[in-house]
Amino acid sequence: MLKNPIVLLDLVNRLGNLMRAEFRRIGSEDGLQPVHVLSLLFLEQANRFSNTPQALAEYLGLTKGTVSQSLLLLDRRGLIERYQDEIDKRVVRLRLSPQGEAFLSETNPAGLWQTATREISANRVRYSVSVLRTILYEIQNFSGGPAFGVCNTCVYCQRKSQRIHHCTWFGERLSGPETRKICREQVPKTGSLSASD
Amino acid sequence: MLKNPIVLLDLVNRLGNLMRAEFRRIGSEDGLQPVHVLSLLFLEQANRFSNTPQALAEYLGLTKGTVSQSLLLLDRRGLIERYQDEIDKRVVRLRLSPQGEAFLSETNPAGLWQTATREISANRVRYSVSVLRTILYEIQNFSGGPAFGVCNTCVYCQRKSQRIHHCTWFGERLSGPETRKICREQVPKTGSLSASD
DNA sequence: AAATTTTGATATCGATTCGATACGATAAAG
DNA sequence: CTTTATCGTATCGAATCGATATCAAAATTT
């Protein structure tokens, strides 16, 4: 009999393929490839420690050279903006341009997914998220790359008061909204990996 | 706050990207691209109603022309065998060649995934499978393509006796092992979508 | 039974991705 | 100050991929 983890892998692959096809459809009107849509979605979610070409390359599992080309295209189309980092001048920071944000809100690449998950209870979604996140974290352990988790489920994220959080990894203050973005240095709290969070 | 279904989508995308990179690594020694490894994995699992170029194209979310090229390469490398269907002579059937099977067993493309899921309980895997399968089925409803589920969780799969099953869709007998492969016409039983199966 | 339409698969072509490699600029280490 | 490492970009060749056209077989209609 097929081992259940393999069935799960098959589902992840297939859902990935389907969403890839959906992103292709979404982007085709504007001449964008799936990788471009994925890049825009990433930049929408990445926090200020993770909005670099390098981080995007790790997120997509591609080389930085390849990603550099995709970013060039997005820049030419005016969908993203690139600017130099103040402190480390080798680093390029990325953000969505107003057009990029408009593209996402108009096309809503996740629309199909949202429709498909409408009837699924929040509990079941949360449970699945915790399982997949555990797997992601394990894969990161074995293959070295960052896991890219949501900031507020990270061991380094400390809540100082109602509104103020602090990241003990980067040693910086975080606003509330910032703690809901995804970060390349995220290390999940053990509690956030269980089904009961 | 980010809606949980979006977090789940992000995880599926990211895991898909990572496994894609892993498949690239696996195939690189033999000059195979990720899509080729995915194709071999599909053929390993597809039942005899689903081992055609068309089904593979739907599974991968690619056009049949594109898939035809990939299959040509796999054929040239001797990893798959193609043969004409007896009844419908337009249809080409696909199967792994001995070399193809050897490739999968030697490289074990799912190895990283198996390692990463080792510590996760069978229950949690099953639960996640049921959630993702529900989503997959919903996406199929909206976008038209087949869902590719495991045969024995299908409404058309009837158990006649200890060893004999029957598919009321294709109207053919099925052996036990056959009911554990994936089929393009699979329609999940409602019970198999709940968390309690 | 003949003509039409549909379906499965392949071939060709151009655009684009992607990895490998090399390169330049900045930062860090010694 | 020299060396080394890191981040990003540029170039090139191989390969994917979609669009379109074509071919053959089956299904449908007339």
Side-chain angles (χ1 to χ4, degrees), chain B residues 49 151 156-158 165-174:
Chain B
F49 308 120
C151 177
Y156 300 122
C157 183
Q158 309 274 334
H165 301 71
H166 186 79
C167 173
T168 59
W169 176 267
F170 289 107
E172 295 202 21
R173 266 178 58 175
L174 301 169

Side-chain angles (χ1 to χ4, degrees), chain A residues 2 5 9-10 14 18 58-59 113 115-117 120 124 127-128 130-131 135-136 138 142 146-148 180 193, chain B residues 2 5 10 14 18 58-59 113 115-117 120 124 127-128 130-131 135-136 138 142 146-148 180 193:
Chain A
L2 272 175
L9 170 59
D10 189 59
R14 173 123 175 83
L18 278 176
E58 286 159 353
Y59 179 85
W113 182 271
T115 306
T117 53
I120 301 180
R124 301 189 72 201
Y127 193 105
S128 305
S130 83
V131 173
I135 296 172
L136 176 56
E138 287 297 318
F142 288 105
F148 287 98
R180 292 174 203 118
L193 289 176
Chain B
L2 273 177
D10 189 59
R14 174 123 175 82
L18 278 176
E58 286 159 353
Y59 180 85
W113 184 271
T115 305
T117 53
I120 301 180
R124 302 189 72 200
Y127 193 106
S128 305
S130 83
V131 172
I135 297 172
L136 176 56
E138 286 298 317
F142 288 105
F148 288 98
R180 290 172 206 120
L193 289 176

Side-chain angles (χ1 to χ4, degrees), chain B residues 18-197:
Chain B
L18 278 176
M19 290 310 296
R20 196 178 185 79
E22 170 73 1
F23 293 156
R24 192 184 296 280
R25 193 185 65 77
I26 293 279
S28 64
E29 292 179 22
D30 301 69
L32 299 179
Q33 301 290 326
V35 67
H36 299 134
V37 177
L38 278 165
S39 299
L40 293 176
L41 285 173
F42 173 79
L43 291 180
E44 189 182 33
Q45 293 181 60
N47 72 3
R48 63 190 153 97
F49 308 120
S50 313
N51 56 355
T52 70
Q54 178 81 317
L56 178 58
E58 286 159 353
Y59 180 85
L60 295 174
L62 303 177
T63 63
K64 51 188 180 175
T66 297
V67 168
S68 188
Q69 299 309 305
S70 301
L71 290 173
L72 229 97
L73 184 144
L74 290 173
D75 197 7
R76 279 199 303 267
R77 302 285 176 85
L79 295 169
I80 63 170
E81 294 167 358
R82 304 198 279 183
Y83 56 100
Q84 209 174 36
D85 185 87
E86 294 282 322
I87 294 125
D88 188 336
K89 298 196 173 174
R90 295 170 304 180
V91 174
V92 170
R93 300 269 164 205
L94 308 166
R95 68 167 157 243
L96 291 179
S97 70
Q99 291 104 305
E101 291 177 1
F103 171 82
L104 287 183
S105 63
E106 282 166 18
T107 62
N108 190 22
L112 176 62
W113 184 271
Q114 286 167 328
T115 305
T117 53
R118 189 157 293 161
E119 300 296 325
I120 301 180
S121 77
N123 258 336
R124 302 189 72 200
V125 171
R126 247 195 320 267
Y127 193 106
S128 305
V129 164
S130 83
V131 172
L132 292 188
R133 191 183 285 154
T134 307
I135 297 172
L136 176 56
Y137 189 59
E138 286 298 317
I139 289 181
Q140 179 223 4
N141 275 346
F142 288 105
S143 52
F148 288 98
V150 176
C151 177
N152 59 26
T153 62
C154 175
V155 291
Y156 300 122
C157 183
Q158 309 274 334
R159 185 163 203 171
K160 294 298 190 183
S161 70
Q162 181 74 17
R163 302 193 159 212
I164 297 181
H165 301 71
H166 186 79
C167 173
T168 59
W169 176 267
F170 289 107
E172 295 202 21
R173 266 178 58 175
L174 301 169
S175 71
E178 274 185 322
T179 65
R180 290 172 206 120
K181 297 207 161 192
I182 62 178
C183 180
R184 58 183 301 199
E185 297 295 347
Q186 195 252 20
V187 177
K189 285 182 260 204
T190 51
S192 73
L193 289 176
S194 82
S196 56
D197 68 335

Side-chain angles (χ1 to χ4, degrees), chain A residues 36 65-78 80 82 94:
Chain A
H36 300 134
T66 297
V67 168
S68 187
Q69 298 310 305
S70 301
L71 291 172
L72 238 113
L73 184 145
L74 289 173
D75 197 7
R76 280 199 302 267
R77 301 287 176 85
I80 63 170
R82 305 197 278 184
L94 308 165

